[in-house]
Amino acid sequence: MNDHIISFQERMDTAEFRVHHQAHIVVDGKVCADCSTRECVIACPANLFVPTSDGGIVFNYEQCFECGTCYIVCNREGAISWHYPEGGHGVVFRRT
Amino acid sequence: MSTPDVDVVVVGAGPAGSCAAIVAARAGLSVVLLERGPFPGSKNMYGGVVYPRILDGLIPNWWEEAPIQRWVTRRSTMLLTDTQALTVDFRSEAWGQPPYNGATAFRPDWDHWLASHAEAAGAQLLTDTTVVGLLRDAGGAVTGVRTDRPDGDLTARVVIACDGVNSFLAKEAGLYEHTDAKHFTLGVKETLALPKEVIDERFAVRERHGVDIEILGGTGKVNGGGFLYTGLDTLAVGVVLKLPKLAAQQQRPEQIIAGLKQHPAIAPLVQGAELKEYSAHLIPEAGLTMMPKMTMPGMLVAGDAAALCLAAGIWLEGVNFAMASGMYAAEAAVEAVQKGDTSATGLAGYQRRLSDTFVLKDHRKLRRAPELVLSDRVQHLYPTMVANVVERMFHVDNPNPKPGVRRILDQERRKAGVRRRDLLRDGWTGFRSFG
């Protein structure tokens, strides 16, 4: 097998995102600070949640599939506020 | 009370929403179909197989125009361990002829096509419009929706919420008792490009015939399942993962797909195919266990928004349940508007139709199946046990004579750490569900 191994960024770049300037995901860092399980970090298929060295979480919203996994796996009340992006924005899966 | 802007607002132009809009518009009601994406289907993905027979009455000879990739004429169910694979493979020429059975299709194509029928029926499609909340009267009845457009309130006699698995409308209305991560699975998929001739040869199919492979045991430590479907010149390979397990196992979704693609039984099928699109979506997996109330004054809930998705191991269906529930919701809305009674009583025809048809009959019959299929024993113990039994049955171990199947079964059951009592109980649950 000599199939090309692609990076995660290359993987994400295969999907189209029409990014809105306003984030549709908001993370309350204070709530995340004492979370040791960090479900969102593992489960988000777009890898949008990244732990920082000081125990916090940084998040991106730009390349979000809008699946909802993050707020559903999160068991900290109020840590992740999530709604759909503004109409016409966000992920656009491809027509053939 | 002032006159509503329209008779029916349908939220979400997926399969449920478009079928609802077709039915309501054809009955002469004024219908607005709202879609938050730039075109219907742009937010939607699934594994890849649709069973469209429910459309027979709505779009006669739909197969002559539907944007399908291939007709599924070959269906395989695969059981994987790290080094073994057991496949039950079925093919039928009948499934390659009208009225067909399953078809592979891309949701952006499929949903776009269905919505065009809603528009042809007279529904007004508004894309790029996200619904941000419900409008309700003093008594709590739904009277319309608030959108993110300027002056974006839209009032209606009936709102049909087809706003998908995250259904913020059903949640806002309090129709879900609670949201529990264990009721959901995450589907992640790679669409891979591969020339049609290579697919035809690799999967032993011709023309528009295609293959549906469902896989148990290829998802590592995370409970779930895998799939591999053939498009015309693409493959869809992916996994469906139980959310709490996924978070607990420290294995990321794309790593689990990579593991599946490296399995000796799968690798030769996907070799050389290049990633065209990576995608993900949630699945309301738990069936009857998680279903919300689907009727309230002024509003009906259909499709994934109502958890009407069948995830029962060998049967994985959702688009057909969405299309049917959308149609039935609209039929009930038409009755209610014509009677001038859009209270829960006036809209009761919806629940009756769901109960009388496959939509809830299949779910009732298979109510124990989703939990059984995703249970630890079915996921992590049985595949090894069954594969080892088959391996020993066909392994010629001369000069030793062939052992009896019952002895092998009993030995492998104990080796796998499966208690006889549990095996019998699961067998009985499976028999009651699938039998």
Side-chain angles (χ1 to χ4, degrees), chain A residues 5 13 16 19-20 40 45 53-56 60 67 73-74 78-79 82 86-87:
Chain A
I5 305 292
D13 288 344
E16 183 190 343
V19 181
H20 194 266
C40 57
S53 53
D54 62 348
N60 302 296
C67 67
V73 291
C74 177
W82 194 98
E86 190 98 349

Side-chain angles (χ1 to χ4, degrees), chain B residues 298-319:
Chain B
M299 185 163 90
L300 299 170
V301 188
D304 272 10
L308 290 168
C309 187
L310 187 71
I314 52 174
W315 290 296
L316 299 168
E317 301 167 27
V319 174

